[in-house]
């Protein structure tokens, strides 16, 4: 076992009834790394995270989380991992202080009062400590949830879509906080749908329909797919999109604001297919490099085709 | 203007949507069909406010032909079913105290001689009157039945006595509740009904609430063990149950003057067993139910037979055999025997064992079921 890997699992499988939710899932996360976990809705991200933190037992597979066996030593894992659920899961009918105090007790924290007081001060909620958690806004709930799962000083944070439904400013603050934590040596596994958040991660993995499709740094992931891309701007883009989608050699056509991204897996084939339209149309065509979003949309369509 | 008018098509689509959602919720749908069909059939046949064939013991200290006449006359009313011939009054006494029999008929020594002589001998009928509605009709039928039967038998032997309504002096003793006060029966019974209702419902909701709000996942992510979660969540409700019992007892004693003959410590011990059984059921309901509404429906489905078949509302012994079998599965049935036994009869532990173990057995069975479902919800 590599001592530098906080998560090291191979071949995890999970079924819910007849559905094979996670297929042969393997993942390595290094110490102090922010690892982004991407994939469409229902792709098995939450199930994978729950298997890592001991909430679910894999049907098969093996591996370790913080050096503990993911099948046999779930109790030890729970004690050293901080897990933030997708939905706000603290008690809305308890106050901020009561919630944090309860969590601290669950982990048997020594100097509980001090730990809780420090956490509340760090949150900047000192004056509102006796306010019910349910009355907090979405952004504050998310910050409080992060504070709650940091109380017992975990070495690994598992964050399941932590920024869903949170405004951009709160999202940015949240990520700054995550980077600060990572700088102190805490490892973070975070699932997200946002491309800007994905680009803030040290490394990424993309999962779809229960299977891990690609992983690596942002540049590696983009390079691996080797997509050729044109960016088209100008008039009549919707009509152009319809025309382009009919062409062989064009994999995806996606609208980004006032421009179209036209991608293909084979650069020559893409160029040949679009030659006529490039020459005749009133639009401006520019070669561009594929963005992470282009790659993900491509991956998503590709796998969908394979599974349908 | 148009938007403010009642739209039939909007209205119809709301009705249709409601029906679709009802159809999807299988349990609710089952309850809609199940409650009327099962409960109406069940209770329609089971409930009988004029209970017949009540178990009776006879102590016969004078074995003559008139003794047989008396026994068969009582038997012919259909109210009395002679199940035991006790050798002594002490033995019969114990049977009535344990609730094995509803009546004890004692025929004193020298009965026959006195009867023939026209001395109007005494005939003692003791009734367990903790539930006056169970014994009332039977006792009302005694005098007429005896007069008719004896008149026939005595004819020719002692002609002058024939037809007299007073050949025997029937002494009826309503034990444990001599004045036949209904409150003596109902108020202790309410104790059990209140506990069943609140304990099952509150624990049922407590667990499903966590699941519905998503906080259960948070609890599971902490190092807390299932047994810690389960038992920890139960404790407050045990306290609530004890407070309810205390309040109900105070009201019973001071407002309704219900006697407290037995030991209060024993009563609270029995209450704890009963609370535990109901909490186990509540927790199990919450493991099976997907939301709070379903947990509530399950509680009511259990609550109805508990009230109607336990002997709380209608005499237990008045129900047909099969209904008594169902009734004796319910903890409330046994709790009623226990609480009436302790409060009204002053019963002690040895007399109560036979009503305690069914509650424990119920709890054990439900616990096994609950554990099975609890594991499932984790994965």
């Amino acid at each position: 076992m590599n001592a530098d890997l906080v998560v090291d699992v191979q071949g995890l499988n999970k079924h819910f009834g007849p559905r094979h939710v996670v297929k042969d899932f393997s993942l390595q996360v290094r110490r102090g790394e922010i690892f982004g976990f991407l994939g469409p809705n229902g792709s098995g991200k939450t199930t994978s995270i729950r298997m890592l933190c001991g909430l679910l037992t894999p049907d098969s597979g093996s591996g370790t989380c913080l050096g503990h066996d993911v099948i046999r030593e779930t109790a030890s894992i729970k004690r050293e991992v901080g897990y933030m659920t997708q939905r706000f899961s603290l008690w809305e009918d308890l106050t901020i202080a009561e919630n944090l105090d309860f969590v601290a007790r669950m982990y048997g924290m020594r100097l509980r009062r001090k730990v809780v007081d420090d956490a509340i001060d760090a949150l900047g909620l000192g004056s509102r400590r006796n306010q019910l958690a349910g009355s907090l806004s979405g952004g504050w709930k998310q910050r409080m949830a992060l504070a709650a799962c940091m109380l017992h000083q975990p070495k690994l944070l598992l964050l399941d879509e932590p920024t869903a439904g949170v405004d951009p400013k709160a999202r940015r603050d949240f990520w700054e906080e995550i980077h600060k934590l990572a700088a102190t040596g805490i490892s973070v596994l975070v699932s997200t749908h946002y491309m800007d958040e994905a680009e803030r991660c040290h490394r990424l993995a993309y999962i779809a329909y229960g299977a891990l499709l690609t992983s690596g740094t942002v540049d590696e992931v983009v390079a691996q797919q080797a997509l050729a891309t044109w960016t088209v701007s100008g008039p009549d883009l919707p009509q152009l999109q319809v025309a382009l989608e009919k062409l062989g050699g064009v994999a995806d056509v996606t609208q980004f604001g006032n421009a179209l991204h036209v991608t293909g897996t084979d650069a020559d084939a893409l160029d040949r297919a679009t030659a006529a339209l490039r020459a005749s149309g009133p639009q401006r065509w520019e070669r561009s490099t594929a963005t992470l979003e282009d790659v993900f949309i491509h991956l998503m369509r590709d796998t969908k085709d394979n599974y349908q | 203007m148009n938007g403010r008018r009642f739209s039939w098509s909007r209205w119809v689509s709301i009705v249709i949507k409601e029906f679709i959602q009802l159809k999807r919720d299988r349990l609710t749908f089952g309850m809609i069909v199940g409650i009327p069909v099962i409960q109406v059939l069940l209770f329609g046949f089971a409930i009988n406010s004029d209970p017949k064939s009540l178990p009776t013991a006879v102590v016969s200290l004078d074995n003559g032909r008139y003794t047989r006449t008396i026994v068969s006359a009582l038997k012919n009313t259909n109210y009395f079913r002679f199940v035991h011939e006790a050798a002594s009054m002490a033995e019969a006494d114990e049977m009535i105290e344990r609730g094995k029999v509803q009546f004890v008929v004692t025929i004193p020594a020298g009965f026959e001689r006195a009867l023939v002589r026209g001395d109007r001998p005494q005939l003692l009928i003791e009734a367990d009157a903790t539930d006056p509605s169970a014994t009332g009709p039977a006792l009302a039928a005694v005098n007429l039945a005896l007069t008719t039967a004896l008149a026939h038998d005595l004819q020719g032997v002692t002609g002058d006595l024939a037809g007299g309504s007073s050949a025997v002096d029937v002494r009826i003793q309503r034990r444990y509740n001599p004045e036949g006060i209904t409150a003596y029966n109902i108020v202790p019974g309410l104790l059990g009904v209140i506990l069943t209702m609140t304990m099952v419902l509150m624990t049922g909701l407590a667990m499903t609430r966590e699941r519905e709000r998503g906080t259960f996942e948070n609890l599971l992510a902490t190092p807390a063990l299932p047994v810690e979660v389960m038992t920890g969540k139960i404790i407050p409700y045990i306290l609530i149950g004890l407070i309810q019992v205390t309040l109900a007892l105070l009201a019973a004693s001071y407002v309704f003057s219900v006697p407290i003959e037995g030991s209060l410590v024993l009563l609270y011990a029995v209450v704890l067993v009963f609370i535990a059984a109901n909490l186990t059921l509540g927790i199990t309901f919450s493991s099976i139910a997907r939301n709070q509404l379903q947990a509530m429906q399950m509680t009511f489905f259990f609550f109805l037979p508990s009230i109607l078949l336990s002997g709380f509302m209608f005499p237990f012994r008045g129900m047909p055999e099969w209904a008594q079998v169902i009734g004796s599965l319910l903890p409330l049935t046994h709790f009623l025997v226990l609480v009436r036994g302790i409060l009204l009869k002053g019963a002690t532990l040895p007399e109560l064992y036979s009503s305690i173990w069914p509650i424990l057995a119920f709890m054990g069975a439900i616990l096994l079921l609950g554990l099975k479902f609890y594991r499932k919800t984790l994965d």
Side-chain angles (χ1 to χ4, degrees):
Chain A
M1 194 198 86
N2 189 332
D4 239 20
L5 293 178
V6 285
V7 173
D8 186 10
V9 292
Q10 292 89 30
L12 295 186
N13 280 286
K14 186 73 195 174
H15 298 78
F16 287 134
R19 288 191 306 129
H20 198 168
V21 188
V22 174
K23 299 184 186 91
D24 286 327
F25 177 73
S26 300
L27 185 72
Q28 280 78 37
V29 178
R30 296 177 198 136
R31 193 174 303 282
E33 179 172 72
I34 299 176
F35 194 96
F37 202 33
L38 291 101
N41 293 324
S43 57
K45 296 190 299 285
T46 299
T47 307
S48 303
I49 291 178
R50 286 180 179 169
M51 285 197 285
L52 291 179
C53 66
L55 274 184
L56 287 175
T57 319
D59 296 334
S60 64
S62 64
T64 58
C65 183
L66 295 168
H68 305 292
D69 189 288
V70 288
I71 292 167
R72 288 190 310 271
E73 299 173 311
T74 54
S76 316
I77 294 175
K78 283 183 186 178
R79 223 163 285 131
E80 293 175 34
V81 163
Y83 171 47
M84 184 169 156
T85 52
Q86 193 169 348
R87 199 175 138 190
F88 182 69
S89 65
L90 290 163
W91 289 266
E92 300 205 342
D93 44 2
L94 295 185
T95 65
I96 295 160
E98 285 164 348
N99 264 301
L100 294 179
D101 189 63
F102 175 75
V103 174
R105 275 179 194 270
M106 282 287 107
Y107 288 95
M109 300 291 297
R110 266 183 260 168
L111 301 172
R112 197 182 76 244
R113 287 213 180 158
K114 190 182 173 325
V115 169
V116 170
D117 286 344
D118 289 352
I120 290 175
D121 287 342
L123 274 170
L125 282 174
S127 57
R128 294 157 76 182
R129 54 180 294 143
N130 293 324
Q131 193 178 324
L132 292 182
S135 66
L136 291 171
S137 69
W140 277 109
K141 277 184 183 169
Q142 170 233 38
R143 291 193 61 193
M144 179 187 153
L146 179 65
C149 67
M150 283 302 299
L151 272 186
H152 62 290
Q153 293 155 343
K155 297 175 194 139
L156 170 66
L157 272 181
L158 300 173
L159 311 175
D160 194 1
E161 290 184 27
T163 55
V166 167
D167 69 53
K169 168 79 168 66
R171 226 147 56 83
R172 175 169 298 190
D173 293 345
F174 187 79
W175 274 89
E176 271 171 24
E177 181 72 24
I178 300 279
H179 273 275
K180 267 186 222 158
L181 291 172
T184 66
I186 293 171
S187 318
V188 182
L189 177 69
V190 52
S191 73
T192 179
H193 284 299
Y194 299 111
M195 290 307 133
D196 60 317
E197 292 188 352
E199 284 170 359
R200 285 164 171 262
C201 296
H202 299 129
R203 286 202 308 142
L204 306 170
Y206 186 87
I207 182 173
Y209 303 94
L212 189 74
L213 297 181
T214 181
S215 66
T217 63
V218 175
D219 292 343
E220 283 166 8
V221 167
V222 173
Q224 272 166 25
Q225 296 305 312
L227 289 182
T229 308
W230 286 91
T231 301
V232 194
S233 53
D236 302 330
L237 291 179
Q239 291 87 334
L240 181 65
Q241 181 168 8
V242 174
L244 283 167
E245 276 167 349
K246 291 187 187 130
L247 298 175
V250 175
D252 304 297
V253 186
T254 317
Q255 186 125 27
F256 282 97
N258 294 321
L260 283 184
H261 282 205
V262 185
T263 56
T265 43
D266 180 339
D268 290 341
L270 182 68
D271 289 354
R272 264 192 317 261
T274 56
L277 285 168
R278 273 187 286 139
S280 66
Q283 298 91 352
R284 209 151 56 85
W285 288 71
E286 277 175 275
R287 260 183 211 285
S288 56
T289 50
T291 63
L292 195 58
E293 188 151 350
D294 291 327
V295 169
F296 286 146
I297 287 167
H298 174 70
L299 280 171
M300 218 191 284
R301 283 206 189 133
D302 230 27
T303 40
K304 202 169 174 183
D305 292 345
N306 287 343
Y307 280 92
Q308 275 171 355
Chain B
M1 278 294 107
N2 212 4
R4 302 196 53 132
R5 211 177 296 149
F6 188 94
S7 154
W8 285 100
S9 70
R10 274 200 303 259
W11 183 79
V12 166
S13 55
I14 289 169
V15 172
I16 292 173
K17 171 190 141 290
E18 218 53 38
F19 270 118
I20 293 173
Q21 288 176 313
L22 269 176
K23 200 181 76 192
R24 294 280 144 74
D25 188 352
R26 287 265 183 83
L27 192 75
T28 303
F29 200 66
M31 292 281 173
I32 291 168
V33 178
I35 287 187
V37 173
I38 300 174
Q39 311 263 31
V40 168
L41 283 182
L42 194 66
F43 304 136
F45 285 116
I47 291 166
N48 176 11
S49 54
D50 184 22
K52 302 263 167 83
S53 307
L54 300 167
T56 308
V58 61
V59 187
S60 182
L61 303 173
D62 180 9
N63 274 315
R65 60 180 279 233
Y66 294 107
T67 303
R68 288 192 298 279
T69 304
I70 284 167
V71 168
S72 67
L74 292 176
K75 208 185 282 174
N76 285 342
T77 63
N78 287 330
Y79 283 112
F80 299 89
R81 183 166 49 93
F82 287 90
V83 293
H84 189 72
E85 190 159 332
S88 66
M89 293 188 73
E91 188 191 345
D93 218 43
E94 199 192 313
M95 287 190 82
I96 203 168
E97 182 148 339
R98 287 190 182 212
K100 296 265 184 241
V101 293
Q102 190 88 34
F103 299 103
V104 173
V105 177
T106 306
I107 297 166
F111 179 80
E112 189 158 347
R113 207 153 45 96
L115 184 69
V116 175
R117 271 214 312 256
D119 281 353
R120 295 192 71 230
Q122 284 187 357
L123 177 72
L124 179 64
I125 300 182
E126 292 165 281
D128 175 351
T130 44
D131 182 358
S133 64
T135 49
L139 293 176
V142 165
N143 259 322
L144 183 66
L146 288 182
T147 310
T148 320
L150 286 173
H152 181 265
D153 258 38
L154 290 170
Q155 215 155 30
V157 181
T158 51
D160 52 325
L161 271 171
S165 61
S166 49
V168 289
D169 176 12
V170 178
R171 291 287 173 92
I172 290 172
Q173 201 180 39
R174 290 182 177 84
R175 293 184 59 177
Y176 314 121
N177 186 1
E179 289 155 81
I181 300 171
T182 320
Y184 281 16
N185 184 50
I186 294 292
V187 174
L190 270 174
L191 212 72
V193 171
I194 293 166
L195 282 179
T196 303
M197 185 69 206
T198 46
M199 292 298 102
V200 176
L201 188 61
M202 285 174 113
T203 40
L205 293 185
M207 295 291 277
T208 39
R209 187 164 51 228
E210 296 259 6
R211 198 165 309 133
E212 220 173 301
R213 293 186 184 169
T215 51
F216 197 56
E217 191 179 359
N218 203 328
L219 214 47
L220 289 180
T222 69
L225 303 175
V227 60
E228 290 167 357
V229 177
M230 287 267 201
T231 53
K233 287 192 75 82
I234 280 178
I235 294 293
Y237 300 103
I238 294 182
L239 281 178
I240 289 173
L242 290 176
I243 291 172
Q244 287 181 325
V245 167
T246 308
L247 289 176
L249 278 179
L250 288 173
S253 181
Y254 290 105
V255 181
F256 295 99
S257 316
V258 175
I260 300 180
E261 301 285 345
S263 140
L264 270 181
V265 175
L266 182 60
L267 180 66
Y268 273 91
V270 163
V271 162
L272 275 179
V273 172
F274 183 65
I275 288 178
N278 281 308
L279 291 179
T280 314
L281 184 70
I283 294 264
T284 302
F285 278 171
S286 71
S287 316
I288 300 170
R290 271 176 293 134
N291 52 48
Q292 298 192 60
L293 180 67
Q294 289 190 347
M296 197 119 89
Q297 288 172 327
M298 288 167 138
T299 307
F300 276 103
F301 202 74
F302 174 76
F303 189 58
L304 268 176
S306 283
I307 281 198
L308 297 174
L309 299 185
S310 64
F312 169 71
M313 273 204 164
F314 306 99
F316 187 76
R317 285 183 176 129
M319 302 190 303
E321 196 85 13
W322 58 267
Q324 292 195 20
V325 170
I326 299 176
S328 53
L329 295 176
L330 303 168
L332 183 59
T333 306
H334 303 282
F335 183 71
L336 291 181
V337 175
L338 292 172
V339 75
R340 286 170 183 166
I342 295 172
L343 286 184
L344 304 179
K345 300 182 183 177
T348 54
L349 193 56
E351 290 136 43
L352 299 176
Y353 273 134
S354 63
S355 296
I356 292 176
W357 72 258
I359 300 181
L360 292 173
F362 174 87
M363 189 162 85
I366 296 298
L367 190 68
L368 284 181
L369 194 73
L371 284 177
K372 199 174 152 239
F373 276 98
Y374 185 80
R375 291 226 180 88
K376 265 192 194 162
T377 55
L378 271 175
D379 255 272

